[in-house]
Amino acid sequence: MEPTPNFVEPCPEDPVLVALMRSIASGDERAFATLYDRTSRQVYGLVLRIIGNAATAEEVLLDAYTQVWRKRTQYDEARGTPLAWLITIARSRAIDRLRSMRGRDE
């Protein structure tokens, strides 16, 4: 049996997420709610693995989606998928929270 490569195959772009991001960029709040519904479980899972605490992970998740809304016009399809953009933002917010929590513990 051949070993499994130590990387994740890129998944094909979800055209629905791309369409939602286009609508969100123009201020469509319902599209944003739909994006949240379609992606929040996956993004929450990542944040929870980083943070390790469910309540804090929920706060970070909301912070991340708030940042997505504020920066909605900055998403660029040419640079990556909507999910990759969301995950990058959420990961960054989670790491920032971890650093701030560690700073208080010292």
Side-chain angles (χ1 to χ4, degrees):
M1 182 173 199
E2 223 174 283
T4 305
N6 200 11
F7 62 89
V8 177
E9 288 290 326
C11 59
E13 180 53 61
D14 182 346
V16 173
L17 293 183
V18 172
L20 287 171
M21 287 306 300
R22 289 177 186 152
S23 295
I24 292 165
S26 65
D28 185 339
E29 292 177 10
R30 288 196 313 175
F32 182 69
T34 301
L35 177 77
Y36 181 87
D37 291 343
R38 290 181 66 101
T39 60
S40 61
R41 286 184 83 183
Q42 188 172 2
V43 176
Y44 173 76
L46 169 74
V47 171
L48 181 59
R49 282 193 302 276
I50 294 169
I51 297 291
N53 175 283
T56 305
E58 288 176 16
E59 290 175 18
V60 170
L61 181 73
L62 293 177
D63 288 345
Y65 278 91
T66 299
Q67 184 174 356
V68 166
W69 179 257
R70 283 194 317 264
K71 296 183 176 237
R72 66 189 179 272
T73 59
Q74 295 177 12
Y75 171 70
D76 181 358
E77 287 178 49
R79 296 185 67 201
T81 68
L83 187 57
W85 188 65
L86 286 165
I87 287 173
T88 300
I89 290 171
R91 180 180 175 276
S92 177
R93 300 299 279 189
I95 291 170
D96 288 347
R97 180 64 66 94
L98 266 183
R99 287 179 182 148
S100 107
M101 289 170 22
R102 287 183 183 149
R104 283 183 264 151
D105 291 343
E106 295 175 3

